[in-house]
Amino acid sequence: MLRKLGKGLYVRQPLLSLVNINKYFGDVHVLRDVSFTIEQGEFLTLLGPSGCGKTTLLRCIAGLEHVHSGDILLNGSSIKGIAPNKRNVNTVFQNYALFPHLNVYDNIAYGPRVKKLMKEAELKDRVSKVLDLVQMLGYEKRMPHQLSGGQRQRIAIARALINEPSILLLDEPLGALDLKLRKHMQTELAQLQRKTGTTFVYVTHDQEEALNMSDRIVVMDQGQVQQLGSPREIYNNPSNLFVTTFIGDRNMIRVKVLDVGEASTRVQFGEDVVEVRNSKRHHMVAGEEALLAIHMDKMRVSCGEVPNALRGEVLSVHYAGSQIRIQIQVADKVITAVEYQKTDCDCEAGDSVYVVWEEHGAILLPLEDSGVEGEV
Ligand code: ATP
């Protein structure tokens, strides 16, 4: 949205701005100076471990929790003092919260009827439209107990969408579904969001769900934003040790920095010297120690000699469906490589191998910023 500054002068204004939000439960500081903006039409996910404050932040946006300090702006105006039902923001919870005594039609029509927003004929059209969006046309007369979990979740979403909210807040909406249905609903929800153009703020602790569905992800830990970025940015360029260890499975190897070039840094581990791409965020210093973090699924194991590799000995090879997990002793460290196709070499325990990785699969972090004590 554009905001007029003066004659002919406009600035782009975010749909929602969170400005230095702080929130306490008793003595516990659960949201610490949380600030970021959400753009119109975005699919933004709050991702973090259990208890990091995702739901609390969502509830603050919805107006269901009081904010101790900071501000929440919708289209540039503060909504802090505005009641939840007046915020033009709707929430879909994990437990659906459908009225058990009302059929699908009446569940969806409930909100507009209470607000006396439209006549029954118009309401009928709107209910049909949202039922079509969630692919549930024809289910109007069913009672909630006659629906599957996935169908109940679709009705809960339809019930929120009928209000045409500026923002739809979704709190782990797929958490109660089994894995297969959850994956299916992830695709459907992402498509629905693109089709309606509604801004989604989605809460999950499941990184795969966040990486699959979102335009941008806010990674949170202990009430603080750790990183905000696109899935690719978060996956390839983690901002700190927390994000590095939280997103994806990585081998963490303590290395010595030999020299720092413009595009890459040479590091030593055991007797091997390898080059690692430089990251925008972290600056290495020659002579110091650093952490080399490599995504397990970006590694390749080769039987023949290859440049820029760590040499090791295979400890075990484990086949799990399409995945092959290879454990390798490299100097004094055991690392794991995950491959999805047949490996370059059919290695077995005891074989000598060379381990390499895709350029963006590895990152160097300064040891002193990482909070790591002892061995990694
Ligand atoms: P989960 O993924 O497990 O739902 P979350 O990241 O959504 O976790 P929150 O539910 O926001 O985390 O909780 C953040 C912190 O606030 C936790 O330590 C929690 O115990 C605490 N908390 C949440 N609600 C209340 C409450 N009503 N009273 C007291 N403490 C609360």
Side-chain angles (χ1 to χ4, degrees):
M1 186 174 170
L2 295 176
R3 185 164 66 92
K4 194 168 183 178
L5 284 184
K7 202 175 168 199
L9 191 59
Y10 293 86
V11 284
R12 197 175 148 80
Q13 180 169 271
L15 177 65
L16 190 81
S17 304
L18 304 180
V19 189
N20 297 111
I21 302 291
N22 282 284
K23 165 83 187 163
Y24 296 81
F25 283 119
D27 293 341
V28 187
H29 196 173
V30 285
L31 294 176
R32 297 160 180 262
D33 271 330
V34 172
S35 295
F36 60 88
T37 58
I38 301 170
E39 300 296 329
Q40 172 71 49
E42 218 182 353
F43 193 132
L44 183 121
T45 297
L46 307 180
L47 173 69
S50 182
C52 72
K54 307 177 294 288
T55 296
T56 305
L57 183 57
L58 203 76
R59 289 173 60 82
C60 288
I61 299 171
L64 301 169
E65 291 291 353
H66 159 77
V67 169
H68 286 97
S69 67
D71 209 348
I72 302 175
L73 311 176
L74 187 61
N75 288 321
S77 304
S78 175
I79 54 168
K80 234 170 86 171
I82 295 180
N85 59 346
K86 300 269 161 53
R87 288 192 178 196
N88 199 16
V89 164
N90 270 90
T91 312
V92 176
F93 298 100
Q94 186 185 113
N95 58 7
Y96 325 125
L98 297 178
F99 298 116
H101 58 289
L102 297 182
N103 66 21
V104 163
Y105 184 96
D106 291 333
N107 256 290
I108 297 173
Y110 183 85
R113 274 180 183 151
V114 168
K115 291 185 191 157
K116 297 190 171 58
L117 286 181
M118 59 193 94
K119 300 221 162 67
E120 280 298 318
E122 189 189 341
L123 185 56
K124 198 169 169 219
D125 279 352
R126 290 272 291 272
V127 173
S128 296
K129 198 175 138 208
V130 291
L131 276 175
D132 191 22
L133 274 173
V134 297
Q135 298 171 31
M136 288 290 287
L137 268 176
Y139 286 81
E140 290 82 344
K141 297 234 156 52
R142 290 270 190 106
M143 300 302 284
H145 75 269
Q146 296 171 316
L147 300 171
S148 71
Q151 290 169 335
R152 279 202 288 272
Q153 192 52 275
R154 284 187 207 149
I155 299 307
I157 291 164
R159 197 176 57 169
L161 284 176
I162 199 165
N163 298 316
E164 297 186 341
S166 294
I167 303 180
L168 191 59
L169 306 173
L170 301 110
D171 191 0
E172 305 240 12
L174 310 182
L177 308 179
D178 66 52
L179 185 64
K180 201 167 163 204
L181 186 55
R182 203 158 72 213
K183 292 218 178 277
H184 177 72
M185 287 294 289
Q186 282 174 14
T187 314
E188 271 197 15
L189 259 185
Q191 284 170 353
L192 180 71
Q193 193 272 335
R194 307 283 186 282
K195 201 152 65 177
T196 59
T198 307
T199 307
F200 276 25
V201 180
Y202 191 94
V203 161
T204 184
H205 60 265
D206 179 339
Q207 50 158 300
E208 199 187 320
E209 195 162 287
L211 292 167
N212 283 344
M213 300 170 79
S214 324
D215 294 316
R216 289 193 304 158
I217 299 172
V218 180
V219 183
M220 293 178 64
D221 185 40
Q222 296 183 25
Q224 279 180 315
V225 173
Q226 302 291 323
Q227 187 170 3
L228 194 161
S230 68
R232 180 191 289 254
E233 175 75 4
I234 300 249
Y235 198 76
N236 288 337
N237 287 307
S239 60
N240 58 24
L241 184 72
F242 173 78
V243 183
T244 309
T245 49
F246 188 67
I247 303 286
D249 287 328
R250 296 184 194 246
N251 292 295
M252 306 291 276
I253 304 170
R254 205 164 166 153
V255 293
K256 181 158 185 217
V257 177
L258 298 180
D259 48 72
V260 183
E262 257 181 40
S264 62
T265 295
R266 269 185 349 122
V267 300
Q268 179 165 15
F269 179 60
E271 291 177 2
D272 294 320
V273 173
V274 288
E275 290 214 12
V276 184
R277 70 168 170 126
N278 289 343
S279 94
K280 298 178 275 193
R281 296 174 189 278
H282 309 291
H283 299 287
M284 300 298 126
V285 180
E288 292 195 351
E289 285 198 302
L291 275 182
L292 170 58
I294 317 173
H295 278 301
M296 293 179 184
D297 60 357
K298 304 278 186 208
M299 302 181 93
R300 291 283 163 273
V301 179
S302 172
C303 295
E305 189 167 350
V306 278
N308 211 38
L310 295 175
R311 287 171 300 164
E313 185 183 313
V314 175
L315 295 177
S316 66
V317 181
H318 179 67
Y319 289 82
S322 59
Q323 230 189 48
I324 308 165
R325 291 179 79 86
I326 307 167
Q327 289 214 300
I328 304 147
Q329 182 81 47
V330 178
D332 59 353
K333 175 113 188 137
V334 176
I335 63 172
T336 305
V338 174
E339 300 203 352
Y340 287 93
Q341 297 132 17
K342 200 172 172 309
T343 53
D344 290 350
C345 60
D346 277 331
C347 55
E348 296 174 356
D351 287 353
S352 293
V353 289
Y354 294 80
V355 185
V356 289
W357 49 88
E358 291 170 28
E359 192 189 0
H360 286 280
I363 190 166
L364 282 171
L365 297 167
L367 199 61
E368 78 272 17
D369 291 355
S370 67
V372 172
E373 285 165 22
E375 277 309 302
V376 284

